[in-house]
Amino acid sequence: MTDISVIEAALEDVAKGRFSAVRLIEGRVSLVLNVSGLDVRDRGQIEIAVKGKLLELDGVEKVDVVMTAEKVERRLIAVGSGKGGVGKSTLSTNLAIALKALGHKVGMVDADIYGPSQPRLLNCEGRKPEAEGKQLIPVPNEYEVPVLSMGHLAKPGQAIAWRGPMAGKALEQLVNAHWGDTEILIVDMPPGTGDVQLSMMQNHKPVGALIVSTPQDLALMDAVRAVDLFEQAKIPIIGMVENMAGYICPHCGEVSDPFGAGGAEAAAKTMGMSFMGRVPLDIEIRKSSDGGEPPACSDSLQGKAFHDIAKRLATWLGDH
């Protein structure tokens, strides 16, 4: 005759310590399953496995499963700039991959509603997110950094001509998705200081912002405006990254600085914030990014630049 010990032994085979509160009353088994960290498919599979296993036991006629999950403390890191074309999206992608390599559970939100690029950078173009109820399920990819982007929802090449309220609702869907056990969300912000940025800061409260700039004065002027916007919203500034900093000639090895040198570091010092590091102006970064192969996946010098910044970011996260 089946008893609780037999049921628990059967559950151990399929639920591996995730079950509790097992009861058996007149052929009816009830139990609680802890599904923390499992995505929708895995939750469904474990429930089916549990019910199938128990219904094979003598005397078990019905199985009731209640699923619970611990709430994950999820922190948002905004990667912003005052203008476009400074490499913010590329930095976001590679930081996410580098943080994952450090052992963090990382996801990516492409908040650039009007100009999404994360599907290309993470090599998952053409994939549509599924949904669980009203929540989107992030799109998987070979780099194991789940991502959501308007690029996954709009048709290829479609112009997204939305006013602020519609863009804000779209952002809400991307952020409040079914992120599972993801602990850190890197948010690739749109350029400038408009409606989407305000919605992100007011409604989702990033724990910190990383500012990206190229070294020249015009870019730095806009970066200062981005810093001011985050400070007005009381979002801590983690630091500044200088992108496109120095070009090494592949033929002679000479370093030149078409955009200037050290401007972002000097600006960070003037504003009393941390300087997080430099990313070189390198054609390999452009080629690999366009090909959906983030440099942070390699042990190249280009990849090392992103990993060094990610380590500083991880240190900041550990202190806050």
Side-chain angles (χ1 to χ4, degrees), residues 61 65 75 91 102 152 170 182 214 216 272 279 284 293 296 305 308:
E61 299 174 2
V65 176
R75 296 190 285 178
L91 178 69
L102 292 172
H152 293 123
T182 299
T214 47
Q216 76 267 37
V279 178
E284 290 305 319
E293 299 176 357
D308 288 345

Side-chain angles (χ1 to χ4, degrees), residues 30-255:
S30 63
L31 67 138
V32 175
L33 274 180
N34 179 358
V35 293
S36 298
L38 300 182
D39 62 23
V40 176
R41 287 192 186 89
D42 289 340
R43 291 181 183 192
Q45 287 173 359
I46 195 172
E47 182 181 14
I48 290 169
V50 163
K51 289 182 175 180
K53 186 77 172 179
L54 296 187
L55 288 171
E56 292 175 356
L57 300 178
D58 182 37
V60 175
E61 299 174 2
K62 185 173 177 58
V63 178
D64 295 323
V65 176
V66 175
M67 291 188 282
T68 64
E70 297 175 7
K71 187 175 180 180
V72 177
E73 182 185 352
R74 192 167 294 122
R75 296 190 285 178
L76 276 64
I77 300 294
V79 180
S81 63
K83 65 181 296 178
V86 297
K88 165 185 51 60
S89 295
T90 301
L91 178 69
S92 298
T93 305
N94 286 278
L95 278 183
I97 288 171
L99 283 172
K100 182 183 180 301
L102 292 172
H104 296 280
K105 295 175 181 177
V106 188
M108 169 70 67
V109 172
D110 190 350
D112 195 346
I113 303 297
Y114 303 107
S117 53
Q118 289 302 330
R120 168 68 61 87
L121 291 165
L122 285 166
N123 197 29
C124 54
E125 286 181 294
R127 300 181 194 174
K128 299 290 184 183
E130 297 180 12
E132 180 188 12
K134 294 183 178 180
Q135 280 188 303
L136 293 175
I137 300 171
V139 174
N141 52 74
E142 63 196 277
Y143 306 112
E144 298 181 350
V145 174
V147 58
L148 278 173
S149 167
M150 279 304 300
H152 293 123
L153 299 171
K155 295 178 181 178
Q158 177 185 355
I160 302 169
W162 290 350
R163 296 190 184 276
M166 287 187 68
K169 287 179 182 178
L171 180 63
E172 187 85 16
Q173 277 196 302
L174 301 182
V175 176
N176 294 330
H178 185 79
W179 289 102
D181 63 350
T182 299
E183 298 169 343
I184 299 170
L185 281 181
I186 300 295
V187 182
D188 179 9
M189 298 284 282
T193 55
D195 286 340
V196 175
Q197 291 87 339
L198 290 172
S199 294
M200 171 58 68
M201 291 184 290
Q202 292 171 357
N203 300 332
H204 306 292
K205 293 294 181 185
V207 297
L210 204 58
I211 306 299
V212 188
S213 180
T214 47
Q216 76 267 37
D217 290 344
L218 283 176
L220 288 165
M221 287 168 58
D222 290 317
V224 170
R225 295 187 183 98
V227 169
D228 183 59
L229 182 70
F230 283 112
E231 288 181 339
Q232 285 183 44
K234 295 182 169 48
I235 306 296
I237 304 297
I238 300 168
M240 184 175 287
V241 173
E242 185 171 273
N243 196 22
M244 306 181 195
Y247 172 73
I248 302 174
C249 176
H251 305 293
C252 68
E254 182 179 346
V255 178

